[in-house]
Amino acid sequence: MKTRVLAGLAIAAAATVALSGCVQSANASNAADTSGGTTNLTVFISGDTNVQDLWDKSLIPAFEKANPKIHVTTSIDLHGEHDAQTQANLATAVKAGKSVAYDLVDAGFVSTAGKAGLLSTVSDSAIPDLKDVPEATKQQGGDSAIPYRASSVLLAYDSTKVTNPPKTLDDLLAWIEANPGQFAYNSPSSGGSGGSFVATVLAKYLTADEQKTMQTTYDKSLESKWDKGFQTLKGLGPSTYQKGVYPNGNDQVVQLLGSGQIAMAPVWSDQFITSQKTGIIPKTVKAIQITDPSFTGSASFLGIPKTEPKAKKAAAEQLANFVLSSKGQQLVASAVSGYPVIPLDSLPASVAEQFADANPSQLRLGFQSDFAADMNAAWDAKVPQ
């Protein structure tokens, strides 16, 4: 079955070999603790370039200025294309009692890896500012995950073309069919906004108990419950952008929306706010949350490998604590428009006002990572024409 995607997919595919090498390097030995009296840390990122920019351009410079004896670099697996390999290599290293070549993980699989015993347990004593994070938010990730920002997927629409946007998922599906070519979502394996749209359509046909199970545990037999949802998504294809072209990644969806080639799309809340600040999306594009069910959202988590050397673990905890400080959370809000995970009254009024309606402890969670991986593979096989 041939998948039709935008030209960027070919570029991404050409880079896979190089990325694979980076991932393998990021899972190599990390024996040396310090160099010349400076502790060197690596943050391993599984995600988009905007997250790497958050670290490289905002968090790391500010942290290093306050902590001159700690030097931090980043390594990225773009879109998390090698998450399974990364987790397998981490599991092998932990089983052998060996360290890896990164010290802090910023990835969607942190919660799963933590619950599998691959990450260090975190505590308020080692990371003092963790005490300010709501308990419900911490429980989303487990006792080895450090919440540091949150976001949700929203429905963005061009208000010059859409005067009465859909309020529910059923309304949205009806709008897409009534306005062929004006809606797009990226392939779910290439970004979370498209993944959220797919997961939300699948959730439409699940009971509340089935949704909860798929959010917290893994039972592959439940995936037969997805059949109706995939039938809906396949039937929707001819009504989407260019009769079934699926952009490669969250960024391409935003670009289509900003250029006026489409009128509606699911987008990440943080990416939407940032894109309006930078002018990629005009102010005439608005965003709302749908219901029955809503799009998904959750906190993003950091993790420290279980076999991290003692000196480097202490430095990684220091870095994580900085990210949770008022200064760190302001940088997160400014750089990527992430929802703060600490009380808003501890932040400047301008930041607090921007996120007054955000509550990361009450976001509808997506599927557990194993289910999400299976969903992505099933979409690839069943949906594109």
Side-chain angles (χ1 to χ4, degrees):
M1 180 174 292
K2 184 178 179 181
T3 302
R4 301 174 63 212
V5 296
L6 294 183
L9 183 57
I11 298 173
T16 298
V17 174
L19 276 173
S20 180
C22 289
V23 174
Q24 290 171 1
S25 173
N27 284 278
S29 175
N30 188 21
D33 283 346
T34 60
S35 175
T38 297
T39 301
N40 296 303
L41 298 178
T42 297
V43 178
F44 179 73
I45 300 162
S46 172
D48 287 344
T49 54
N50 67 319
V51 178
Q52 187 176 35
D53 285 345
L54 163 65
W55 287 97
D56 286 341
K57 298 178 181 180
S58 296
L59 291 174
I60 291 174
F63 175 76
E64 289 183 337
K65 183 177 181 180
N67 301 273
K69 289 189 176 296
I70 302 177
H71 177 63
V72 187
T73 57
T74 60
S75 175
I76 187 169
D77 177 17
L78 193 62
H79 305 318
E81 292 182 358
H82 304 89
D83 278 355
Q85 178 185 346
T86 302
Q87 291 179 82
N89 290 346
L90 177 59
T92 299
V94 169
K95 185 176 181 179
K98 295 181 179 180
S99 60
V100 291
Y102 49 87
D103 311 284
L104 194 66
V105 182
D106 183 350
F109 62 77
V110 164
S111 178
T112 301
K115 292 171 183 176
L118 305 181
L119 302 176
S120 298
T121 301
V122 297
S123 66
D124 295 356
S125 58
I127 306 174
D129 287 340
L130 191 61
K131 70 180 185 303
D132 295 326
V133 179
E135 193 62 33
T137 306
K138 290 188 281 191
Q139 288 177 356
Q140 289 178 2
D143 61 7
S144 296
I146 307 161
Y148 86 101
R149 62 185 172 91
S151 59
S152 63
V153 173
L154 303 172
L155 181 66
Y157 65 96
D158 185 340
S159 64
T160 66
K161 300 177 181 178
V162 182
T163 56
N164 184 27
K167 301 297 191 299
T168 68
L169 178 61
D170 283 342
D171 290 343
L172 173 57
L173 296 176
W175 188 94
I176 295 169
E177 292 188 339
N179 297 271
Q182 289 299 303
F183 178 87
Y185 69 96
N186 57 277
S187 54
S189 61
S190 70
S193 61
S196 179
F197 175 74
V198 171
T200 301
V201 173
L202 299 185
K204 168 180 166 64
Y205 301 99
L206 301 175
T207 66
D209 286 344
E210 289 167 345
Q211 289 186 54
K212 185 175 181 179
T213 297
M214 290 189 178
Q215 291 168 348
T216 57
T217 60
Y218 182 59
D219 180 357
K220 192 174 179 65
S221 67
L222 288 176
E223 292 177 7
S224 62
K225 303 285 186 177
W226 290 345
D227 289 348
K228 288 184 178 179
F230 279 123
Q231 289 173 11
T232 296
L233 289 164
K234 185 173 180 62
L236 205 64
S239 298
T240 60
Y241 177 64
Q242 292 188 359
K243 299 182 178 180
V245 170
Y246 301 95
N248 181 48
N250 306 313
D251 287 345
Q252 287 193 356
V253 172
V254 169
Q255 290 164 11
L256 287 173
L257 194 61
S259 64
Q261 295 183 65
I262 57 174
M264 193 176 292
V267 297
W268 280 110
S269 57
D270 48 2
Q271 189 172 27
F272 176 80
I273 295 171
T274 300
S275 295
Q276 285 207 321
K277 286 181 179 178
T278 58
I280 296 174
I281 295 178
K283 296 296 185 181
T284 51
V285 176
K286 310 295 184 182
I288 59 171
Q289 182 58 272
I290 62 169
T291 60
D292 300 324
S294 66
F295 288 133
T296 56
S298 70
S300 293
F301 300 96
L302 306 175
I304 300 172
K306 189 173 184 178
T307 50
E308 179 77 346
K310 185 176 180 180
K312 300 195 81 175
K313 180 182 177 183
E317 290 170 338
Q318 193 171 342
L319 174 56
N321 195 66
F322 171 80
V323 175
L324 290 178
S325 68
S326 178
K327 174 64 174 177
Q329 290 289 283
Q330 290 176 55
L331 291 172
V332 170
S334 175
V336 295
S337 301
Y339 296 175
V341 295
I342 62 173
L344 294 179
D345 59 13
S346 64
L347 299 170
S350 59
V351 178
E353 289 170 5
Q354 184 179 3
F355 299 99
D357 295 327
N359 187 343
S361 66
Q362 294 182 359
L363 300 173
R364 189 175 80 83
L365 299 180
F367 294 139
Q368 184 262 6
S369 61
D370 292 313
F371 274 123
D374 291 349
M375 179 193 78
N376 294 347
W379 184 93
D380 289 340
K382 296 180 178 182
V383 175
Q385 303 298 318

